[in-house]
Amino acid sequence: MSKIKAEYIWLDGHKPTSKLRSKTKILDGHVKTIADIPQWGFDGSSTMQAEGRDSDCALIPVCFVPDPIRGGDHILVMSEVNNADGTPHATNTRAPLRKVAEKYKDHDPWFGIEQEYTFFLGRNPLGWPEGGYPAPQGPFYCGVGADEVFGRDIVEDHMEACLEAGIMISGINAEVMPGQWEFQVGPLGPLAVSDELWIARWLLYRLGEDYGVNATLHPKPVKGDWNGAGAHANFSTKSMRARGGIKVIEDACEKLKKAHERHIDVYGAHNEERLTGLHETCSIHDFRYGVSDRGASVRIPMDTAKAGKGYLEDRRPAANMDPYLVCAAMIETTCG
Ligand code: ADP
Ligand code: MN
Ligand code: MN
Ligand code: MN
């Protein structure tokens, strides 16, 4: 019987931001459904998920995709982490999202997440002169040419890998700061968009290994007059997408305004370095929404305003946010 390599991926207990971990299990034969993938375990004392004694944590497969790097029948397996007694581990942020998604499933929430990130080569952003700075921002966003764009080969490889894995990647673009890029995942339901975003992040780091380049999701990778990195969350419910949906979107904005602090709490660490009011952001201390306003906390896209229905864009989440937490907060605030 043929052997397949299953790469189990999970979130660790690193604070304040969980990191991705993974390891390989050899399985016999072909995997058709999630039930064909066995539960597994790992040493939680090495991932900040357990004390030295009694350190076993369980890995519960929740979704799998073809492994675009190993090819063949090999797979990537997104996993939740449970305690030995079967309860969700404290770091398992997917388990609460499962409950929220189930409770509000009649609202049919969709998410499209714009994942910004920055390539680093050693201590410098990719393409930056050693110990110095490139030309001021301006020509780099959606730029072309070897003097403006750095890392396109990795970005193209990553996009292709996401497509081969069946991830709902909806586009890529070079960002405002040189060495900074974005890809988008969605629109999808909350669990799917989050699982796929985590797998897409894993693929980005993994492919970076082959180039000796690492991607960071830090929201302010270079201090000073340089753009930060966000993860705009585009969001809609069934009633927002239906006739008269603009009213539902405006109501949702009012609810988001009241819950601003609760949202900022789960929108990523160090986000105060990014949400300064400069560089197409609103200050972390304010909440504003508006049509086409890229300096607002929440933007209502022009097309949505024109059509009178559509979606909203929460511009506050940082690039390093956990989509399981962000999706849960958005659904609970706007549908609750
Ligand atoms: P921006 O103009 O802010 O750069 P992008 O084109 O990068 O926007 O990303 C927009 C995202 O919104 C895409 O991932 C897209 O799939 C998603 N999207 C489109 N329509 C909806 C919708 N109705 N609900 C949720 N997300 C949506
Ligand atoms: Mn975008
Ligand atoms: Mn962007
Ligand atoms: Mn955006």
Side-chain angles (χ1 to χ4, degrees):
M1 204 186 289
S2 67
K3 303 272 189 186
I4 73 161
K5 300 168 194 158
E7 189 74 11
Y8 286 59
I9 301 171
W10 74 96
L11 308 187
D12 76 2
H14 191 267
K15 292 225 164 32
T17 305
S18 290
K19 288 174 178 283
L20 283 164
R21 305 270 179 155
S22 73
K23 60 174 182 164
T24 311
K25 186 176 185 64
I26 304 298
L27 305 179
D28 282 322
H30 189 68
V31 168
K32 287 192 203 66
T33 73
I34 192 80
D36 297 332
I37 307 173
Q39 296 189 6
W40 201 16
F42 66 95
D43 169 17
S45 68
S46 300
T47 62
M48 287 154 264
Q49 283 165 306
E51 299 299 324
R53 298 171 298 137
D54 194 18
S55 67
D56 276 2
C57 292
L59 282 176
I60 316 297
V62 292
C63 83
F64 71 101
V65 298
D67 182 339
I69 297 173
R70 288 174 172 153
D73 285 339
H74 308 302
I75 54 174
L76 305 176
V77 183
M78 195 65 208
S79 313
E80 285 189 28
V81 176
N82 278 1
N83 300 306
D85 67 2
T87 55
H89 191 271
T91 58
N92 180 349
T93 50
R94 191 180 187 278
L97 177 61
R98 264 193 283 120
K99 293 202 171 132
V100 172
E102 175 60 27
K103 184 171 173 191
Y104 296 104
K105 65 172 185 289
D106 293 345
H107 293 258
D108 195 16
W110 293 358
F111 293 86
I113 297 176
E114 302 168 54
Q115 177 68 66
E116 293 177 344
Y117 60 93
T118 312
F119 285 132
F120 270 75
L121 186 61
R123 297 178 55 176
N124 292 308
L126 188 64
W128 288 40
E130 184 63 38
Y133 295 94
Q137 293 184 156
F140 306 108
Y141 171 75
C142 297
V144 61
D147 55 336
E148 289 178 1
V149 163
F150 310 100
R152 195 188 295 276
D153 45 359
I154 315 174
V155 171
E156 289 285 329
D157 260 13
H158 177 253
M159 178 162 50
E160 186 59 34
C162 286
L163 289 171
E164 281 178 34
I167 288 169
M168 183 89 127
I169 186 166
S170 56
I172 58 135
N173 59 269
E175 270 301 336
V176 176
M177 186 179 97
Q180 204 165 66
W181 292 83
E182 167 180 318
F183 65 87
Q184 305 101 31
V185 178
L188 286 169
L191 290 166
V193 82
S194 303
D195 291 338
E196 294 190 14
L197 184 64
W198 275 118
I199 295 170
R201 287 171 172 180
W202 186 90
L203 283 169
L204 184 64
Y205 297 139
R206 170 62 191 83
L207 286 168
E209 291 176 8
D210 295 349
Y211 291 85
V213 167
N214 74 289
T216 176
L217 303 187
H218 195 287
K220 193 75 178 181
V222 184
K223 314 298 167 214
D225 197 18
W226 302 96
N227 272 48
H232 299 164
N234 299 275
F235 171 69
S236 63
T237 59
K238 196 163 65 178
S239 57
M240 292 178 186
R241 296 187 294 268
R243 218 185 131 132
I246 192 73
K247 180 75 180 67
V248 185
I249 290 170
E250 283 163 4
D251 287 350
C253 289
E254 290 297 332
K255 289 177 177 172
L256 287 167
K257 177 180 188 150
K258 290 203 188 79
H260 180 62
E261 277 82 26
R262 151 158 164 59
H263 280 250
I264 290 297
D265 279 351
V266 295
Y267 278 7
H270 317 296
N271 204 11
E272 70 285 349
E273 296 177 30
R274 163 179 167 260
L275 294 180
T276 57
L278 302 171
H279 306 111
E280 302 175 32
T281 68
C282 185
S283 162
I284 199 166
H285 305 295
D286 300 330
F287 180 95
R288 283 202 327 271
Y289 68 92
V291 174
S292 292
D293 183 356
R294 288 178 187 265
S297 320
V298 173
R299 176 176 70 102
I300 299 174
M302 175 64 83
D303 286 350
T304 294
K306 274 194 191 144
K309 61 180 183 179
Y311 63 99
L312 61 82
E313 178 194 42
D314 193 336
R315 301 176 59 81
R316 296 171 294 171
N320 61 354
M321 61 75 160
D322 176 351
Y324 297 132
L325 293 174
V326 170
C327 290
M330 290 201 76
I331 296 171
E332 282 188 310
T333 298
T334 61
C335 302

